[in-house]
Amino acid sequence: MLLAHPNAPVGVERLTEALWDEEPPRHARTVLQGHVSRLRAVFAQYDAAAHGVELLTQGAAYRLRLPETLVDAHRFEESLRLVRRSADPREVVAVLREALGLWQGPAFAGTVHSAPLEAPAQALEELRLTAVEALARAYGQLGDHGAAASVLRTEAAAHPLREPLVAQLMLALARAGRQADALDRFHRTRKLLADEIGVDPAPVLIDAYHALLRTDAPARAHPDTDAPTDAHAHAHAHAHAHAHADVGNGTARPPAAMAHAAAAGPATTPQLLPRRPRGFIARQDELAALDRITSAAPGSIVTLTGSAGVGKTALAVHWSHRRRADFPDGTLFADLCGFSPTPARDTRAVLREFLLALGVPVERMPGSPAALGARYRELTTGRRLLVVLDNAVDSEQIRPLLPGGDECVTLVTSRDRLDGLVATDAARPVKVGALPAADSTALLAAVLGPEPVAAEPEAAARLAGLCDGLPLALRVAAARLATRPHRGLASFAGELADEQHRLDLLRAEDTGVAAALGLSLRHLPEPARWLFHHLGPHTGATLDTCTAAALADCPPLQAARALDQLAAAQLVVETGPRSYVLHDLVRLFARSLAPDHEPAGLLRLLDHWVQTLLAACAAAEPGGEPCCALPPGARRSAEIRRFADRTAALAWYSAERGTLRAAVEAAVAAGLHDRAWRLVLLQWPLIVWQVRDGWVPLLEQGLASAELDGDPAAQSRASALLGWVLSEEGRPEEALTRLERAPDLAVRAGDFAGEAVARINLAVALMRYGDRERPGGLLADALALAEREGLTETVTLAHQHLAQHLLSVGAAAEAAEHAARGLALAAPLLAAPRRVVLRTLHGEALAALGRTGEAVRQLHEAIREARANAYEEGEVAARSALDGLPEPVWSAGARGCSPLGE
């Protein structure tokens, strides 16, 4: 690393990155200092200072001071600069043979594999091949075509897809009298290109092949170029005739482009696309969007953006192959390595690659970035090209590579949203999301074969879900299964379900979900990386700024800015204002990065959920008494989600049910039982609303945590709620076992509110099972307790169930009185369902007393309010009671009431 940057400071961070491409050891700086000490000892042993060599420390960096002529790579580069200025082929041969003699193997052979070392190594290798090609040309100018072919043959064997080199070898062989060998080399290379990367030969190879077919090709070859002079003349004539034909059709190429084409060489049709991806699945919506945008707006720029591993490149290449015929002037493709283990591609290198493909000879390549860009825009003007820029890191990397032609289409893929390109260049974004379930299983079938998926369809669907519909994860999972066919889909899905090992299982050699996500994270600003490292303890997919702030223990505004950066990088998905989705694999990756953050972060998260649940309870059941308070020592969140009304609160409860269940499991696993039972009990508004929706396991866990926490009040409330749910599920013996214990537990805890609720729930269950004696006393005691403690909501609830009980035993007058008293307390601030039930009971009691007119009015009002609040069960009960009245009375009553629009 120091020799690759002679006489320049190289920072400790850069050296660390070079030595440890993945996770550095804990004491990396100490290890570096040890290396430096040993290097200095070696320098001292060989008296390096006498030769001007010294290893210096500069702050947090090291600098290797030395005369650059001592570095063989520097001498090699100087030799190349020298021969560029020489017109004597003999001097060129002598200098280049000496320069190439400095090479003793691949650049940086024997060092570690890391991006900071591989980039300069690749650059040196490119210079070496350039020198080899220049040496062969010099031999050709001297007429020694056998020597030229010998020099090129070795490199063509090592780089069989380097088409300019193969073309030069073909011509050298032909000029050496080995026409058959030259033609055989072309056909072998053409087959290799088709088999390996799915492309046809480039124009440079086609031109050489056509030259070989001419019997006099060797005799008429220009001494200074790789192609015969008459072939160039033929191409120029063809281009000239084509330009005149265009003028006749009213579509002449601009004069500047024509003039430049004449100066730069023959116009070529580049075809740089990689081969068509295998096993490509669906993406019909995205393909249709690409078709629609590019058809409606010639010259459009389209961005395909999405998270790591979602299949952006495959989609871009698939669409490009499908629409290849729409771009008669060719296709340019470049991997910009924006999110890659190797450094991002230099714009100048990409422009040179594009200009070579467009027919600009190496010797006429512009030098400066500005000149390269100008020549590129000139050559693309007036042409219908497709330019695919894959894996871009940001908008700035893309802009210099945008073509100049109004008929060119540019397709960009990136993990970044590229908002800047949308703003400045009117790019049209197309979002690439996770595959739907059916397409995910189809991808598994495409990789594994249809038989295993058809044999275990449920396991395949589960496996696809555990992979988050991410094509990269699905392909890695399929690769693991394909190499271990005895494992089976169900068995592997069971292994993937373990969150501790899921990311490890979704890795195959150097490919995997964690590696792809790590590359995304590396390019983020520091605030976003910092927040991401704190997201691991989160227990669900949905995430808002309040929750993120609690996890990271930072102000909500800071969390909001970081989340926006994460969304721009596609690590979270923005679903609304301050609302995001964090997919499981991304969350597990965050957890793997900072396991030390998890205990404190989990505690902050659980306390935040408890506070949010208290707010949701207050909105869902206004006027109700909270069933618990914050646990001792709870950390108060900086900001809590606000709920506009009962509907909003219930919608949130329903959406977060899975997240809250996972939070309970995490609390139990961490031994935080005082948080666990609170997270269970505070979901009671949704439990009551959707009582037959499988709540028993959760409530049993809540009761177990309350017992482990030693809190009798919590045990009472958990028993009362669990017993009521069991009763609703038709499990009377289990229900009564729980309900009978609840009042005594509340008495032991001194929880009068809990005692009142426990007595009401026990009374309701006894009523359901035909007990006509005990419920009245239990409800009367509950009413007295609630009135004494000023618990308005519980008083209202007691009146409701007393009215129901009294109706069942024929005490209609008392039932009507309790219903009326309950209605008087159930002001509009309370939940509407309570008023609907009380009105229905009041109407039934009035009807039993013969006061049918009043009964009809109450029942109509109950129907109206139930409908207004989407309380279908209440509307059905009220309508049933109304239908039970005599028809004439019902009709007369209806005429005297507010119309229902029926």
Side-chain angles (χ1 to χ4, degrees), residues 278-281 435 438-449 453 469-472 474-475 478:
R278 295 175 182 173
F280 185 81
I281 297 297
L435 287 173
D439 292 343
S440 296
T441 52
L443 178 55
L444 286 174
V447 180
L448 286 173
V453 173
L470 200 65
L472 172 63
L474 289 162
R475 288 183 181 278

Side-chain angles (χ1 to χ4, degrees), residues 781-874:
D781 290 345
L783 178 59
L785 270 172
E787 288 178 332
R788 188 186 75 197
E789 297 298 320
L791 307 172
T792 304
E793 172 69 3
T794 309
V795 169
T796 308
L797 186 65
H799 280 307
Q800 172 190 319
H801 289 296
L802 271 168
Q804 185 180 0
H805 168 66
L806 291 165
L807 263 176
S808 69
V809 297
E814 292 175 78
E817 181 184 351
H818 280 289
R821 288 170 62 187
L823 270 174
L825 293 171
L829 286 177
L830 293 181
R834 178 83 66 236
R835 292 195 302 276
V836 170
V837 173
L838 283 164
R839 286 193 189 282
T840 302
L841 288 169
H842 196 201
E844 290 176 318
L846 290 170
L849 293 171
R851 295 159 61 182
T852 51
E854 296 173 75
V856 168
R857 282 192 290 273
Q858 286 291 347
L859 292 171
H860 273 300
E861 186 61 23
I863 293 170
R864 183 197 64 75
E865 195 163 8
R867 184 178 297 169
N869 290 276
Y871 181 27
E872 294 181 6
E873 189 176 344

Side-chain angles (χ1 to χ4, degrees), residues 357-680:
L358 290 166
V360 177
V362 174
E363 60 270 18
R364 291 179 182 165
M365 191 67 63
S368 69
L372 284 165
R375 182 71 60 85
Y376 170 63
R377 288 186 291 276
E378 235 182 342
L379 280 180
T380 53
T381 298
R383 305 181 74 173
R384 184 159 178 77
L385 282 159
L386 172 63
V387 180
V388 183
L389 304 174
D390 184 42
N391 199 11
V393 69
D394 55 27
S395 301
E396 185 180 357
Q397 188 186 24
I398 298 162
R399 292 190 184 100
L401 302 173
L402 296 176
D406 291 337
E407 295 296 312
C408 296
V409 168
T410 306
L411 188 57
V412 184
T413 76
S414 180
R415 300 182 192 181
D416 189 87
R417 281 191 314 222
L418 302 177
D419 294 342
L421 199 67
V422 175
T424 60
D425 294 271
R428 298 286 300 279
V430 174
K431 179 69 184 299
V432 184
L435 287 173
D439 292 343
S440 296
T441 52
L443 178 55
L444 286 174
V447 180
L448 286 173
E451 294 83 5
V453 173
E456 298 181 85
E458 292 182 3
R462 186 184 181 208
L463 185 61
L466 290 167
C467 290
D468 280 346
L470 200 65
L472 172 63
L474 289 162
R475 288 183 181 278
V476 172
R480 278 186 166 271
L481 283 164
T483 56
R484 301 168 181 83
H486 60 278
R487 178 175 287 183
L489 271 68
S491 173
F492 189 53
E495 293 178 53
L496 277 184
D498 182 357
E499 291 190 347
Q500 300 297 321
H501 301 102
R502 192 178 305 170
L503 288 178
D504 288 336
L505 290 169
L506 293 177
R507 181 176 63 199
E509 295 183 352
D510 59 344
T511 299
V513 175
L517 292 171
L519 293 171
S520 293
L521 193 63
R522 185 183 300 177
H523 291 82
L524 284 174
E526 176 56 31
R529 285 203 304 273
W530 183 84
L531 177 68
F532 188 82
H533 277 73
H534 286 80
L535 296 182
H538 190 45
T539 57
T542 56
L543 180 69
D544 58 26
T545 53
C546 300
T547 308
L551 280 163
D553 195 19
C554 69
L557 186 59
Q558 181 180 332
R561 285 196 293 263
L563 281 171
D564 189 53
Q565 292 168 338
L566 290 173
Q570 312 285 348
L571 285 169
V572 299
V573 180
E574 189 171 7
T575 56
R578 299 160 59 92
S579 297
Y580 302 85
V581 167
L582 177 71
H583 290 302
D584 278 352
L585 293 176
V586 179
R587 176 177 55 82
L588 294 178
F589 175 62
R591 182 178 297 176
S592 72
L593 295 177
D596 294 342
H597 292 170
E598 189 155 338
L602 176 63
L603 187 58
R604 289 194 300 270
L605 175 71
L606 297 177
D607 287 347
H608 174 75
W609 283 136
V610 171
Q611 293 168 74
T612 307
L613 283 163
L614 284 166
C617 277
E621 298 291 339
E625 296 79 21
C627 64
C628 63
L630 286 174
R635 178 78 172 271
R636 289 197 172 270
S637 296
E639 187 176 341
I640 299 296
R641 176 189 279 268
R642 305 297 176 199
F643 301 97
D645 51 28
R646 171 181 171 81
T647 301
L650 288 174
W652 178 83
Y653 269 119
S654 185
E656 297 293 350
R657 182 174 171 181
T659 300
L660 294 170
R661 182 182 64 250
V664 172
E665 293 170 358
V668 170
L672 299 170
H673 294 287
D674 59 340
R675 269 73 174 175
W677 66 255
R678 285 175 168 86
L679 292 172
V680 173

